Amino acid sequence: KKRIGLLTSGGDSSGMNAVVRSIVRVAISRGCEPYAIYEGYEGLVQGGNMIKKFEWSDVRGYLSVGGTLIRTARCQSFREHKGRLQAAHNLIKNGIDALIVCGGDGTLTGADTLRSEWPSLLKELVQTGKLTEEEVAPHTYLTIVGIVCSIDNDMALTDITIGAVTSLHRICEAVDSISSTAFSHSRAFVIEVMGRHCGWLALMAAISSGADYVFIPERPPEAEKWKKEMCDTIEKQREAGKRNTIIIVAEGAIDDNLEPIKADDIRKLLVDAKIDTRVTTLGHIQRGGRPCAYDRNLATLQGVEAVEAVLRATPDTSSPMISVRENKFVCEPLMKAVELTHQVAEAIAEKNFRRAMELRDPEFNE
Ligand code: F6P
């Protein structure tokens, strides 16, 4: 029976539990044994009771719960060779030779590093007497499959990541609530949303809530002009009788000189323009809580695809990432997706904003 390890790592996102549930149940249905690895790579390095065989009933109730019940951690020791050697040891001791990793780009990179080092790690384990030739013999290669869980929706080669839509719902609800009090008091609110270097959450939230202004990293406004333009626009709206003003700013927003645009700086500008203004940083309320139906379904279907990808894997194929392209599930090369994601960040840092958009979407046309 194939033993499949699964872990959630990096920042959590709603829908991670639904993925775990799906992988466990599909693996069992397909005659495999699923092993949950607690606290991401931390559990892989520690081993012992951090790696637990899961039964069908172990994931009862998982579908609708936020966060990750098998927990997550940002693990330092796995970044070091010693930690990965220990991880390989624990995998072999538990008879696991396939790993489904759920997380963002850091998580997927870590898994691929483990896979590429696998033969040399096995050699070292034998040479140092930690394992025998007989013990490592059945584990000549490690299968890795990646599932992208992130509220940021910042991974290249996939249209959507698990948790992003739930987070968007959470933001919209918050903006609706803020809008009503903004109207009562005739105030402006500057709302900072998460997303790291990606403006997807901010842009989608702005469209869905009818915000008056939005700042995202991918479309930096002109440093010399944006302050006046924004104040003029908002003042005009006010003169026309608008009582509530909503400005959404992505946490990674910058101007075209790459200077950060911060919520409090926007507040000060509006206060100087005599507009009563407050700042709300939504923070981790965007990341926790029950997944919406879309994320439950996305997670469940991606779990099915991931187990099938494990069963199809051969030593010669590159590690796949389960991806959604134009509403269809496809497997993309995991490392290509990670590299493209990093190139997007580099293009933004080089002020090549058009290239950043093209890297995310080759059909991008302004
Ligand atoms: O990547 C998910 C995310 O929530 C980002 O949007 C945010 O910048 C970051 O993680 C916050 O990380 P932490 O929870 O470690 O503060």
Side-chain angles (χ1 to χ4, degrees):
K1 276 191 176 178
K2 201 165 185 64
R3 292 187 177 182
I4 305 176
L6 57 117
L7 58 84
T8 54
S9 174
D12 63 353
S13 73
S14 296
M16 275 181 159
N17 292 317
V19 183
V20 171
R21 171 182 177 274
S22 172
I23 295 169
V24 166
R25 293 194 169 172
V26 176
I28 293 171
S29 315
R30 298 287 268 120
C32 306
E33 288 181 350
Y35 281 74
I37 298 161
Y38 282 84
E39 290 185 33
Y41 293 123
E42 193 63 54
L44 203 52
V45 174
Q46 283 186 28
N49 59 8
M50 298 288 268
I51 303 180
K52 183 175 173 259
K53 181 167 178 246
F54 260 30
E55 306 297 342
W56 188 274
S57 58
D58 282 318
V59 288
R60 190 173 291 140
Y62 268 45
L63 191 59
S64 59
V65 180
T68 164
L69 291 164
I70 63 167
R71 313 193 292 258
T72 182
R74 299 200 199 269
C75 175
Q76 190 51 43
S77 52
F78 190 74
R79 296 199 182 145
E80 291 152 21
H81 175 78
K82 203 170 137 219
R84 292 195 293 277
L85 189 69
Q86 193 55 43
H89 182 260
N90 290 329
L91 282 171
I92 292 176
K93 277 285 178 200
N94 283 282
I96 299 170
D97 46 24
L99 208 50
I100 302 179
V101 292
C102 314
D105 58 344
T107 302
L108 304 194
T109 310
D112 205 70
T113 309
L114 183 68
R115 184 191 172 188
S116 59
E117 288 179 356
W118 190 252
S120 66
L121 292 172
L122 297 200
K123 218 187 253 170
E124 197 175 334
L125 287 168
V126 173
Q127 276 164 1
T128 51
K130 293 203 173 87
L131 291 174
T132 63
E133 294 276 4
E134 291 68 42
E135 281 175 307
V136 300
H139 299 278
T140 47
Y141 73 99
L142 177 69
T143 300
I144 298 283
V145 175
I147 295 189
V148 201
C149 296
S150 168
I151 66 162
D152 302 335
N153 199 21
D154 57 348
M155 183 65 86
L157 299 186
T158 187
D159 296 342
I160 194 75
T161 59
I162 295 167
V165 173
T166 300
S167 187
L168 180 59
H169 279 294
R170 211 76 81 222
I171 296 168
C172 284
E173 269 172 32
V175 175
D176 290 348
S177 305
I178 290 169
S179 258
S180 59
T181 171
F183 179 87
S184 313
H185 290 263
S186 193
R187 278 177 174 159
F189 274 82
V190 188
I191 302 169
E192 187 192 288
V193 305
M194 282 187 171
R196 223 177 270 270
H197 305 296
C198 183
W200 187 86
L201 278 176
L203 182 61
M204 292 302 140
I207 295 170
S208 337
S209 62
D212 299 285
Y213 238 86
V214 61
F215 293 97
I216 58 170
E218 296 86 344
R219 184 63 76 92
E222 282 183 55
E224 303 306 318
K225 288 195 187 154
W226 74 264
K227 294 176 184 165
K228 184 170 177 338
E229 273 178 11
M230 181 193 73
C231 290
D232 287 353
T233 308
I234 289 166
E235 275 169 10
K236 246 186 237 151
Q237 289 175 341
R238 295 254 150 184
E239 279 159 25
K242 193 166 198 295
R243 286 178 61 84
N244 56 342
T245 300
I246 298 292
I247 297 171
I248 296 187
V249 50
E251 63 178 349
I254 44 175
D255 66 22
D256 66 349
N257 281 336
L258 305 181
E259 283 303 315
I261 297 179
K262 291 287 161 207
D264 204 53
D265 298 336
I266 300 172
R267 180 191 66 80
K268 283 180 192 145
L269 289 170
L270 294 177
V271 168
D272 288 347
K274 307 272 172 293
I275 298 171
D276 188 9
T277 308
R278 298 285 190 275
V279 168
T280 303
T281 302
L282 293 182
H284 288 78
I285 197 161
Q286 297 162 90
R287 219 166 74 186
R290 298 163 84 84
C292 66
Y294 179 85
D295 276 322
R296 296 180 199 194
N297 294 342
L298 183 66
T300 302
L301 297 175
Q302 291 213 11
V304 178
E305 296 295 325
V307 174
E308 295 302 332
V310 165
L311 296 174
R312 274 196 311 268
T314 70
D316 310 319
T317 48
S318 57
S319 304
M321 176 185 97
I322 309 301
S323 143
V324 185
R325 309 277 267 173
E326 296 183 351
N327 255 342
K328 294 193 177 53
F329 291 106
V330 289
C331 286
E332 294 286 0
L334 186 151
M335 281 322 284
K336 188 174 165 208
V338 170
E339 270 154 32
L340 278 172
T341 306
H342 292 165
Q343 281 172 24
V344 171
E346 279 162 24
I348 291 176
E350 286 162 8
K351 298 195 189 182
N352 196 342
F353 305 112
R354 189 180 173 86
R355 167 123 183 92
M357 296 312 290
E358 284 167 354
L359 283 165
R360 280 226 185 102
D361 175 10
E363 283 162 32
F364 170 76
N365 198 352
E366 205 161 1

